Structures are given as C-alpha cells and as structure tokens.
Amino acid sequence: METLADLDARVTECRACPRLVEWREEVARTKRAAFRDWTYWGRPVPGFGPADASLLIVGLAPAAHGANRTGRMFTGDSSGDVLYAALHAVGLASRPTAVSADDGLTLRGVRITAPVRCAPPANKPTPAERANCRPWLLDELRLLRPTARALVVLGGFGWQATLPALAEAGWAVPKPRPAFGHGVRRTLPASDGGPPLDVFGCFHVSQRNTFTGLLTPAMLRDVLRDAAHVAGL
Ligand code: SF4
C-alpha cells in the first residue's frame, strides 16, 4: 500500500500540465537576482508535515520564487514568513522562520499542502490545471484521513479547489457548497460513519492581505488555535 512518503516522491515527477512545467522550469533557470546562487527546485512541491497529522493547512499553489525555489510549501517567501511565525507562536512549528528545505524546521501534528503543486504564472492556475492536480490532493487526503480532524483553507481560490476534493475523499460537503469567508467553520460528517472534519476558512497569507491589514497575525493565530484545538493539538 502506498505511503505518504511514496506519494510525495511520485508527485515531484509529475509533468501533466505543459504550461506549468514550462513556467516552473523557466523560473528555475532564469531565477530572481536575489537568489541567483540558489539551485531552484523547479518541480512540483509535495506536502510538508508528518504522515499522521491531525491538522491540515491548504493554500493554493507554490510561489515562483518561494516553494518553487526551496522545494517546501510556503518556504522562502513573505507568505511563509507570516504563516510559519503564526504556527510557531501557537506551538505548532519548531521555529518561526522557513528558509530552506534543510533548515531543520519541523511541524507538530500539522501538514501543509496545496491543491496545485506547481507554481503558476501570476499565481493563477487554470481550471484545467486545477482539475489535473486534484488527484494528488485527493490521494493525500485519503492517506491522512485516519488522523485528520481539522483543515484550514487559506483563501477563496483554495477553498473552491479543496471542497470538491474533500467530497471525493469521503466527507459530506453540503450542497450548495458553503461560501468562503474568514472565520467560516463547517463540520463535514464522514460519508462512511468515520470521524468528521472541521473545515476553517482563513484569508490567504498573501502579501496583499497582510500588508493591507486584511489579515493580521492575531487573526491568523486565532484561526490556527481554534483549528488546533479541534485537532487535539
Ligand atoms: Fe502535475 Fe499538479 Fe504540477 Fe500539473 S500542477 S504538472 S498535475 S503536479
């Protein structure tokens, strides 16, 4: 039976989206001046965190010069600076910064992943690319299902992409689907009588949201604390 480590290894070889393959590799070749000494990852980015996580955090897609450079979700960009600082503040990350894949950072009971694994141009995957990538998230959710009890979705695009995968992975998503909002919380019963999953909406940790104050560190910490409580962390 496939393990999460097997899945993580397999996803890094995916080339199913020609536009994203070309973009992620071009960015890795041309680089940003500040990172010219780096060897960019330039491949699909696997989820990060333990295989028995009870809390899942889902964004949208890797950033071109963040995770597409480091190979680890939300590592090496301003969004990650905000997210990992908050995770550390609430006791879920071993350190407040995420610089590179070998910086020693570990997460406690938390797995960070995304419905699209390759950095898209302008941070916008197409509907076809989101559909191509959904099976990876679906397999990850199925593998985490025995332990997953709470899930935080960062941003409305991630919400739209994640809820259908949750429905396929065995949780009952109401119809019509609940609308995204910061602070929204829905308990999704398991379709097979297993444990439910509490899904939390949170504004994305993007520079635009954090610089404008739409999402403050305190707001993010509050959502993470609530979700961690549900997840027994
Ligand atoms: Fe594969 Fe997903 Fe990357 Fe498309 S976005 S190439 S499906 S890993």
Side-chain angles (χ1 to χ4, degrees), residues 11 14-17 20-21 24 44 115-118 129 132-133 136:
V11 70
C14 183
R15 303 182 68 83
C17 305
L20 298 190
V21 170
R24 77 192 191 202
V116 175
R117 308 301 176 112
C118 294
E129 289 159 353
N132 272 354
C133 213
W136 292 115

Side-chain angles (χ1 to χ4, degrees), residues 36-47:
R36 64 179 173 274
D37 295 335
W38 276 74
T39 301
Y40 274 50
W41 175 250
R43 293 159 65 181
V45 180

Side-chain angles (χ1 to χ4, degrees), residues 72-116:
R72 193 172 67 193
M73 285 290 175
F74 280 104
T75 295
D77 62 21
S78 58
S79 298
D81 292 347
V82 174
L83 178 61
Y84 286 108
L87 284 167
H88 182 255
V90 300
L92 299 174
S94 63
R95 43 181 285 171
T97 57
V99 182
S100 64
D102 59 359
D103 59 12
L105 170 70
T106 55
L107 299 178
R108 182 174 68 85
V110 179
R111 173 121 174 145
I112 303 178
T113 191
V116 175

